[in-house]
């Protein structure tokens, strides 16, 4: 009989067995059990085509996007401990983050991670297009992916306002001025002038899409709170749901694409 | 030499250059997508990059912390586009010889265990990504400018870099087109792709020969109309959204006299030599007719042509018309750019009374 080490002893304790319901993944049965019985791994199939693990085929961009999303969630929550979304405190809280938090690179990771996520999403789409992976049966999931792209950009965009510095408010000013020009819905867009009955203006700067976005006519404190909630709660929730749909569909549509 | 590059980088010249380069890249993708080509372009690009970076003005632009992501994506896109062309060229050669694509070889279709094959790859990617982000975060501090001040606007006020392609389009279009309608069309068009492109070939492997229209269309939009415009908007647009060459100092006093004329002014004042009519519809009638021809007559005319017939035969009427409208929406940008440069044309339809400029 082979010598039993400490590892084997631990593996046989009731505590270990209650957490991991399978043995070491050294044989086929246990390798399947590891993937099927682990909440973090069970999104994977048990086996997949070899092309699905080749970096030259997948570029790993979808996986990295999800990983960066998780990293941003974690660093974002950590940042929330230090940050208050008011015009009075926001800027100083960012300064404090820089000066008083030991080894503070959370803000850097969060900011560069946001850029990196935009990059990986784009490159993921690029790969999916180049390999024709949007073709049946994956049409719907491509559409979900496009919505996730939009939400990624919106997440990044809403985060821009939070430091409350010059770059923040003017970048948002440029962006929200485009919303002003939405046809029929923005007061500076075509069609707004038609929506007028006598002296009563239906689309004005007090009720158009830009007003809804900024919660006011200019980038000010109400906009800061609105962008904060959008950035930290609303959009991440929607993204979370859509990521679940996206991954589930990848499995149901036959896994990572491969030649038919 | 630097003067020449500054001169060439102006969108008036660099946009046609990039478009022509794109045309050659796609036409000779088998040459471009070869290891030899990659090797020689790297050998050629290395000293040029070093020489570029020796210039203080150029370095100041590319090392600005918020521009680092764009440097990264430029390098990644250059590499991955080459790599995709390389894989496509290999597959196309095989398909011509009657073989299957590399991805469809029996050894690549063989199934492997997720544990440890995929899980290990994922772990390595996650570790690599973490290291990359941490190093990036240590080397480049997140910038923080002066506190928000609503009474003093920076010049230029730029949107986040991934929207700078749209901001660049503001030069040629009204905000409602550049900021709302065209981005909307991009998204609707992207979602519509799988429903328009009914070509069953090229599903799950790299190829260009088997789906040329999809490849040309997507790559032109992605590389030339999206990435190139972002690069221009980030690196080459300075104060007042004026063009600055890559070696040029961003001098706030640079004045560019530019006077753009609407089509209606051309028609009534210049050609017919009469004052502008007071009826606004009559005033803009030529532009309205041209736009209607572009949006309504052109699709029908193309449908009658050889290519149009072929597309309709493959996909059907409805798909054809959705496809052609999306393509015309996309080509409206280069058309507008060229008209601006050649004729200083501002708007084809100018109805500021209705906020409707086209």
């Amino acid at each position: 009989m082979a010598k039993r080490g400490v590892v084997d002893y631990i593996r046989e304790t009731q505590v270990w067995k209650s957490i991991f319901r399978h043995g070491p993944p050294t044989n086929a049965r246990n390798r399947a059990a590891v993937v099927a019985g682990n909440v973090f791994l069970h999104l994977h199939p048990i086996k997949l085509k070899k092309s699905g693990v080749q970096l030259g085929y997948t570029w790993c961009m979808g996986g990295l996007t999800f990983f960066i999303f998780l990293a941003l969630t974690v660093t974002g929550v950590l940042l929330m401990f230090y940050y208050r979304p008011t015009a009075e405190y926001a800027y100083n809280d960012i300064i404090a983050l820089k000066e008083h938090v030991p080894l503070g690179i959370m803000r850097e990771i969060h900011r560069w991670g946001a850029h990196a996520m935009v990059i990986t999403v784009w490159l993921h789409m690029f790969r999916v297009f180049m390999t024709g992976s949007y073709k049946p049966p994956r049409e719907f999931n491509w559409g979900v992916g496009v919505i996730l792209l939009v939400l990624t950009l919106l997440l990044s965009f809403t985060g821009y306002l939070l430091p409350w510095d010059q770059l923040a408010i003017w970048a948002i000013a440029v962006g929200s001025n485009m919303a002003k020009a939405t046809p029929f819905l923005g007061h500076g867009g075509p069609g707004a002038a038609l929506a007028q009955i006598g002296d009563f203006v239906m689309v004005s700067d007090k009720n158009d899409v830009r007003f809804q976005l900024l919660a006011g006519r200019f980038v000010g404190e109400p906009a800061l709170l609105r962008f904060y909630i959008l950035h930290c709660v609303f959009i991440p929730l929607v993204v979370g749901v859509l990521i679940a749909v996206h991954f589930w569909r990848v499995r149901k549509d036959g896994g990572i694409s491969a030649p038919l | 030499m630097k003067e020449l590059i500054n001169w060439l980088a102006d969108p008036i010249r660099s946009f046609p250059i990039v478009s022509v380069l794109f045309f050659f890249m796609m036409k000779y993708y088998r040459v471009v997508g070869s290891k030899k080509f990659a090797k020689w372009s790297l050998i050629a690009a290395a000293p040029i990059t070093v020489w570029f970076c020796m210039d203080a003005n150029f370095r100041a632009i590319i090392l600005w912390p918020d521009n680092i992501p764009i440097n990264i994506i430029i390098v990644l896109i250059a590499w991955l586009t080459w790599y995709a062309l390389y894989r496509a060229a290999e597959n196309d050669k095989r398909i011509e010889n009657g073989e299957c694509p590399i991805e469809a070889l029996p050894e690549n279709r063989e199934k492997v265990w997720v544990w440890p094959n995929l899980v290990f790859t994922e772990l390595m990617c996650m570790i690599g990504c973490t290291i990359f982000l941490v190093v990036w975060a240590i080397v480049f501090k997140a910038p923080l400018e002066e506190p928000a001040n609503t009474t003093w606007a920076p010049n230029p006020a730029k949107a986040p870099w991934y929207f700078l392609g749209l901001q660049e389009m503001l030069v040629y279009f009204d905000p409602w087109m550049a900021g709302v309608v065209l981005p909307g069309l991009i998204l609707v068009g992207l979602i519509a792709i799988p429903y328009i492109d009914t070509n069953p070939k090229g599903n799950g492997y790299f190829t260009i020969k088997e789906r040329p229209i999809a490849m040309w269309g997507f790559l032109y939009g992605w590389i030339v109309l999206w990435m190139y415009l972002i690069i221009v908007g980030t690196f080459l647009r300075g104060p007042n959204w004026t063009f600055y060459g890559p070696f040029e100092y961003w001098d706030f006093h640079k004045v560019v006299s530019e006077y753009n004329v609407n089509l209606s002014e051309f028609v009534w004042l210049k050609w017919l030599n009469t004052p502008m009519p007071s009826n606004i519809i009559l005033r803009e009638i030529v532009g309205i007719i041209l736009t209607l021809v572009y949006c309504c007559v052109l699709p029908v005319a193309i449908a009658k042509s050889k290519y149009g017939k072929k597309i309709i035969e493959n996909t059907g009427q409805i798909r054809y018309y959705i496809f052609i409208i999306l393509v015309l929406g996309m080509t409206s940008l280069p058309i507008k750019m060229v008209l601006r440069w050649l004729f200083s044309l501002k708007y084809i339809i100018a109805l500021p009374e209705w906020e409707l400029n086209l």
Side-chain angles (χ1 to χ4, degrees):
Chain A
M1 219 175 107
K3 247 169 69 178
R4 293 179 66 242
V6 183
V7 175
D8 295 302
Y9 176 75
I10 293 173
R11 277 220 166 97
E12 272 162 32
T13 58
Q14 188 186 355
V15 175
W16 180 277
K17 279 182 174 170
S18 70
I19 301 172
F20 303 102
R21 296 183 178 279
H22 48 76
T26 45
N27 57 33
R29 191 180 166 279
N30 283 353
R31 282 179 176 180
V34 168
V35 174
N38 183 303
V39 66
F40 299 108
L41 294 178
H42 87 283
L43 267 171
H44 298 117
I46 285 163
K47 273 182 147 187
L48 83 172
K49 281 186 191 138
K50 208 171 169 189
S51 58
V53 297
Q54 287 166 343
L55 275 182
Y57 181 76
T58 64
W59 302 358
C60 206
M61 284 301 166
L64 281 183
T65 305
F66 180 57
F67 176 66
I68 296 173
F69 176 71
L70 294 182
L72 288 173
T73 310
V74 173
T75 51
V77 170
L78 291 175
L79 288 171
M80 286 169 86
F81 283 118
Y82 294 93
Y83 175 83
R84 288 163 286 182
T86 61
E88 190 185 351
Y89 294 122
Y91 186 78
N92 290 332
D93 285 350
I94 300 284
I95 299 252
L97 204 62
K98 193 160 76 178
E99 313 221 312
H100 305 308
V101 180
L103 298 177
I105 56 166
M106 280 179 299
R107 185 164 103 85
E108 277 76 15
I109 293 185
H110 197 74
R111 182 161 180 150
W112 303 141
H115 290 315
M117 188 169 156
V118 173
I119 294 176
T120 53
V121 168
W122 286 5
L123 295 179
H124 176 56
M125 278 187 103
F126 181 34
R127 194 282 295 177
V128 168
F129 190 92
M130 293 305 280
T131 56
S133 304
Y134 58 80
K135 298 190 174 197
R138 298 184 179 79
E139 308 103 307
F140 177 75
N141 222 13
W142 167 265
V144 174
V146 174
I147 308 284
L148 279 169
L149 161 82
V150 179
L151 291 173
T152 305
L153 294 178
L154 286 180
L155 268 178
S156 210
F157 179 67
T158 48
Y160 242 75
L161 187 57
L162 306 187
W164 205 244
D165 63 346
Q166 278 290 72
L167 178 71
I169 64 159
W170 291 105
I172 301 302
V174 173
S176 57
N177 268 337
M178 290 199 177
K180 182 172 77 181
T182 313
F184 300 106
L185 299 175
H187 76 274
L194 300 175
Q196 194 170 356
I197 303 170
D199 284 342
F200 182 69
V201 182
M202 282 198 277
V203 181
S204 75
D205 61 351
K206 291 187 203 66
N207 62 11
D208 67 348
V209 275
R210 177 159 158 274
F211 187 91
Q212 304 304 335
L213 187 69
L214 296 180
R217 287 186 296 155
F218 306 101
V219 181
E221 194 156 12
L224 181 58
L225 182 63
R226 192 157 284 197
F227 273 59
Y228 179 73
I229 300 295
L230 283 172
H231 184 74
C232 304
V233 185
F234 186 81
I235 305 178
L237 273 179
V238 181
V239 168
V241 171
L242 285 181
I243 285 179
V245 174
H246 199 62
F247 287 2
W248 184 78
R249 283 297 290 240
V250 171
R251 277 297 300 277
K252 295 292 164 181
D253 292 341
I256 301 264
S257 64
L260 295 172
Chain B
M1 191 68 196
K2 287 186 176 178
E3 289 295 311
L4 178 70
I5 291 176
N6 281 344
W7 185 77
L8 284 176
D10 192 317
I12 296 176
R13 289 166 274 272
S14 62
F15 181 77
I17 294 174
V18 171
S19 294
V20 170
L21 284 178
F22 174 80
F23 177 81
F24 280 112
M25 181 184 91
M26 291 304 282
K27 192 152 186 330
Y28 299 104
Y29 71 97
R30 289 175 198 209
V31 181
V32 176
S34 66
K35 286 193 170 154
K36 209 167 151 194
F37 182 88
K39 195 176 79 187
W40 283 109
S41 14
L42 275 182
I43 291 173
I48 295 175
T49 314
V50 172
W51 179 68
F52 264 70
C53 290
M54 287 190 348
D55 185 275
N57 292 327
F58 182 76
R59 220 171 38 232
I61 311 176
I62 61 159
L63 284 185
W64 192 61
D66 268 344
N67 285 348
I68 301 294
I70 313 177
N71 302 330
I72 294 174
I73 197 171
I74 290 171
V75 173
L76 283 177
I77 284 183
W79 173 50
L80 290 173
T81 304
W82 172 82
Y83 184 73
L85 294 182
Y86 165 71
R87 299 273 302 238
E90 276 203 331
N91 277 343
D92 286 355
K93 238 179 279 168
R94 293 176 60 87
I95 291 165
E96 270 169 27
N97 295 336
E99 297 168 273
C100 66
I102 292 173
E103 288 86 350
L105 283 171
E107 62 256 40
N108 285 330
R109 304 178 75 105
E110 173 196 342
K111 292 226 173 177
V112 293
W113 291 103
V114 160
W115 183 289
N117 297 294
L118 180 61
V119 177
F120 181 75
T121 312
E122 285 175 344
L123 181 69
M124 285 300 131
C125 285
M126 288 198 288
I127 293 174
C129 180
T130 309
I131 293 172
F132 183 78
L133 277 180
V134 169
V135 170
W136 188 2
I138 291 172
V139 175
F140 289 99
K141 290 283 130 199
L144 189 64
E145 300 188 354
E146 293 91 66
N149 179 356
T150 46
T151 57
W152 183 81
N155 186 359
K158 285 192 180 183
W161 63 272
Y162 35 81
F163 289 144
L164 284 188
L166 303 178
Q167 206 177 341
E168 174 65 20
M169 278 159 61
L170 285 176
V171 177
Y172 309 98
F173 283 108
D174 227 34
W176 70 276
M177 277 294 282
V180 186
V181 174
L182 289 175
L185 268 185
I186 295 174
L187 295 175
V188 171
L190 280 173
I191 292 177
I193 284 175
Y195 304 99
I196 298 172
D197 176 11
T198 53
N199 174 8
K201 286 181 184 164
N203 187 346
Y205 54 95
F206 292 91
T207 173
I208 290 181
K209 198 172 185 287
E210 292 198 326
R211 42 197 290 257
I213 300 176
M215 284 295 179
W216 279 76
F218 180 85
L219 287 180
Y220 185 75
W222 160 236
I223 295 176
V224 181
L225 294 185
W226 189 248
M227 280 317 297
Y228 163 79
L229 284 186
I230 286 180
I231 292 166
V232 171
T234 316
F235 295 136
L236 306 179
R237 291 293 182 179
N240 304 321
W241 211 253
T242 306
F243 166 79
Y244 286 80
F247 301 118
E248 212 171 325
Y249 173 68
W250 283 18
D251 181 2
F252 278 74
H253 305 293
K254 177 174 175 176
V255 180
V256 180
S257 66
E258 196 179 344
Y259 184 68
N260 296 316
V261 185
N262 293 326
L263 182 64
S264 48
E265 290 165 321
F266 270 112
V267 171
W268 297 107
L269 302 181
K270 227 169 159 182
W271 296 336
L272 297 178
N273 236 332
T274 48
M276 303 275 267
S278 53
N279 184 321
I280 52 177
I281 298 287
L282 182 66
R283 189 187 73 203
E284 301 298 332
I285 192 72
V286 181
I288 293 173
I289 290 173
L290 280 178
T291 311
L292 286 177
V293 167
Y294 186 73
C295 301
C296 305
V297 181
L298 203 54
V300 181
I302 299 175
K304 299 264 190 296
S305 74
K306 197 176 76 186
Y307 296 107
K309 276 183 186 153
K310 209 172 147 194
I311 298 176
I312 292 177
E313 196 182 303
N314 289 338
T315 63
Q317 294 265 355
I318 296 175
R319 284 198 177 89
Y320 164 78
Y321 280 106
I322 296 173
F323 168 72
I324 207 75
I325 289 294
L326 290 170
V327 168
L328 289 178
M330 187 164 109
T331 48
S332 68
L333 174 62
I335 290 174
K336 199 80 197 291
M337 291 166 94
V338 170
L339 287 177
R340 171 69 58 89
W341 297 326
L342 291 183
F343 308 111
S344 299
L345 181 82
K346 196 174 182 195
Y347 294 124
I348 294 170
I349 299 178
L351 287 169
E353 296 87 350
W354 298 348
E355 312 269 6
L356 185 83
N357 300 313
L358 210 66

